[in-house]
Amino acid sequence: MTAPALVAFDLDDTLALSKSPISPRIAELLLALLERVEVAIISGGNEEQFRSQVIAQLGETDAAPLGRLHLLPTCGTRYLRHDGTVFAPLYAHDLSDDEKTRALTALREEAERLGLWEAEPWGEILEDRGSQITFSALGQKAPGEAKHAWDPTGAKRLALREAVAARLPDLEVRAGGSTSIDITRAGIDKAYGMTQLAEHTGIPLASMLFYGDRLDEGGNDYPVLALGVPSVAVDGWEDTADKLDELLKTL
């Protein structure tokens, strides 16, 4: 493909370790990209994670490059842009109180029924992210090694997703990261977020390039690939950094 006009990324396990700040190397690469093209980050993480994992790590950066950074937390149910001073929301598709209650109840009851409710988690298992309800099997603060060892085949997440989805036919239920299930309004996933990017920037999907660690069918990055966005599979943030070193030579 020709040089992309916009480069988009998943966050956890693509730009950073799960729920961890991006490294100085990734921060430097993102800033280098922002001098050349539009940059977007779309992930299941909440807005606070984006601010701590990414924005806080970019240091004192001029408003001009930050104006080319598009942040889409909770799988694109929110969209933040820099207004010259701060990152402010363009939209937020929050769930109703009834939708949140039904989602939280279904996740807890089905996880308990399937034997997937952890008795001693690292932090909260269920989180209300406003526009997304997230189940983290081992807790929000579980270490990466434990998370990757919990469900290496994806069978546990698939069983829970199917059980919960059957109870919530009006909502979107999908497997998120290595231990998570995410619930949003129907039809809102990363493909929705990428479509919003195209509408707000005027950049066609074919002129974008996406990096993600879960592009396999059933993975939470797969909707981007299925949408037709040119995509690159990565295996951790170091692999992403190496691939960005090569990409920058072409921009």
Side-chain angles (χ1 to χ4, degrees):
M1 66 175 287
T2 57
L6 183 150
V7 181
F9 302 91
D10 172 46
L11 179 51
D12 285 349
D13 297 321
T14 295
L15 288 178
L17 293 172
S18 180
K19 294 191 174 66
S20 300
I22 59 173
S23 69
R25 182 183 177 194
I26 287 291
E28 182 179 341
L29 288 165
L30 289 178
L31 291 172
L33 274 177
L34 286 166
E35 294 294 334
R36 297 163 172 81
V37 296
E38 303 285 313
V39 175
I41 302 173
I42 181 168
S43 171
N46 62 25
E47 183 176 328
E48 289 72 23
Q49 287 174 243
F50 272 61
R51 293 185 182 278
S52 63
Q53 288 182 253
V54 180
I55 297 173
Q57 311 309 316
L58 296 180
E60 295 295 326
T61 304
D62 292 339
L66 291 179
R68 292 188 285 274
L69 180 58
H70 308 257
L71 302 177
L72 294 99
T74 49
C75 295
T77 58
R78 293 173 179 259
Y79 187 168
L80 308 176
R81 291 292 305 276
H82 199 267
D83 62 7
T85 305
V86 297
F87 280 92
L90 288 183
Y91 67 70
H93 298 305
D94 287 347
L95 294 162
S96 69
D97 289 343
D98 173 68
E99 289 169 332
K100 290 178 181 180
T101 298
R102 290 190 292 113
L104 290 165
T105 299
L107 282 167
R108 169 123 198 187
E109 290 180 354
E110 293 304 320
E112 289 177 340
R113 183 180 65 82
L114 293 168
L116 301 178
W117 188 265
E118 182 65 34
E120 298 181 2
W122 287 274
E124 296 296 322
I125 291 176
L126 295 174
E127 183 182 6
D128 176 358
R129 297 179 175 178
S131 52
Q132 177 177 290
I133 298 297
T134 295
F135 166 91
S136 297
L138 301 179
Q140 296 291 333
K141 299 178 181 180
E145 316 84 68
K147 291 170 68 172
H148 287 295
W150 181 73
D151 186 25
T153 67
K156 294 178 182 177
R157 278 169 296 154
L158 178 60
L160 181 57
R161 192 212 70 81
E162 290 182 347
V164 172
R167 292 181 54 167
L168 303 172
D170 58 322
L171 298 176
E172 191 81 28
V173 183
R174 60 187 170 274
S178 53
T179 65
S180 63
I181 300 294
D182 296 327
I183 299 177
T184 62
R185 287 191 169 170
I188 298 183
D189 57 13
K190 287 187 179 180
Y192 172 85
M194 297 301 290
T195 301
Q196 290 297 307
L197 271 176
E199 291 184 6
H200 281 83
T201 63
I203 298 172
L205 295 171
S207 296
M208 299 181 183
L209 182 63
F210 176 78
Y211 290 78
D213 70 307
R214 293 288 312 282
L215 286 164
D216 53 299
E217 189 166 357
N220 64 347
D221 295 324
Y222 180 75
V224 180
L225 179 65
L227 189 63
V229 177
S231 301
V232 178
V234 297
D235 183 17
W237 73 265
E238 297 97 334
D239 186 33
T240 302
D242 291 343
K243 287 181 166 66
L244 288 181
D245 282 334
E246 295 304 312
L247 176 67
L248 283 165
K249 295 175 184 177
T250 70
L251 299 178

